Amino acid sequence: MAITMTQAASDRVRAFLDNRGKGIGLRLGVRTSGCSGMAYVLEFADELQEGDQVFEYDDVKVIVDGKSLLYLEGTELDFVKEGLNEGFQFNNPNVSSECGCGESFNV
């Protein structure tokens, strides 16, 4: 399995990287946080680190460290617009529960 990305997410990440003017891709990870235990982390990646796994879709790289990959394996990254709200959405098959506010999850 791998990390996948929808066309909408790929387009949005490419636009962010173009506006930023540098970067090799998007780093996706998890950290301990929130009421359910884990939270997603998205940040720009300027270089690869040892142990990183790289998944590429439509010339956009998603970079995941080995520790985070345990929790993210099979996740699809999407970008959705609902009315005035827009943002990235994580379709993670490993999630067993989420907090009520939607900011954190448990595996």
Side-chain angles (χ1 to χ4, degrees):
M1 293 183 83
I3 307 298
T4 59
M5 181 184 293
T6 65
Q7 187 65 51
S10 175
D11 291 345
R12 191 62 171 178
V13 171
R14 187 179 305 99
F16 279 136
L17 289 170
D18 289 346
N19 285 339
R20 187 171 181 250
K22 66 177 184 174
I24 61 169
L26 181 73
R27 182 171 295 281
L28 173 60
V30 295
R31 64 180 164 84
T32 303
S33 178
C35 35
S36 288
M38 315 237 18
Y40 296 105
V41 177
L42 285 175
E43 50 193 21
F44 295 113
D46 294 326
E47 59 186 38
L48 293 177
Q49 298 175 3
E50 187 174 333
D52 281 345
Q53 296 289 317
V54 179
F55 305 93
E56 190 167 340
Y57 303 93
D58 200 24
D59 295 328
V60 174
K61 291 180 178 70
V62 177
I63 301 154
V64 182
D65 67 273
K67 181 182 171 190
S68 294
L69 189 57
L70 295 172
Y71 303 101
L72 297 171
E73 187 72 39
T75 297
E76 177 190 61
L77 181 62
D78 194 8
F79 184 79
V80 295
K81 292 183 180 184
E82 295 175 356
L84 297 176
N85 297 319
E86 61 181 35
F88 287 101
Q89 184 175 44
F90 305 92
N91 301 314
N92 185 343
N94 305 302
V95 171
S96 61
S97 63
E98 295 179 320
C99 69
C101 64
E103 293 297 317
S104 62
F105 67 96
N106 195 359
V107 180

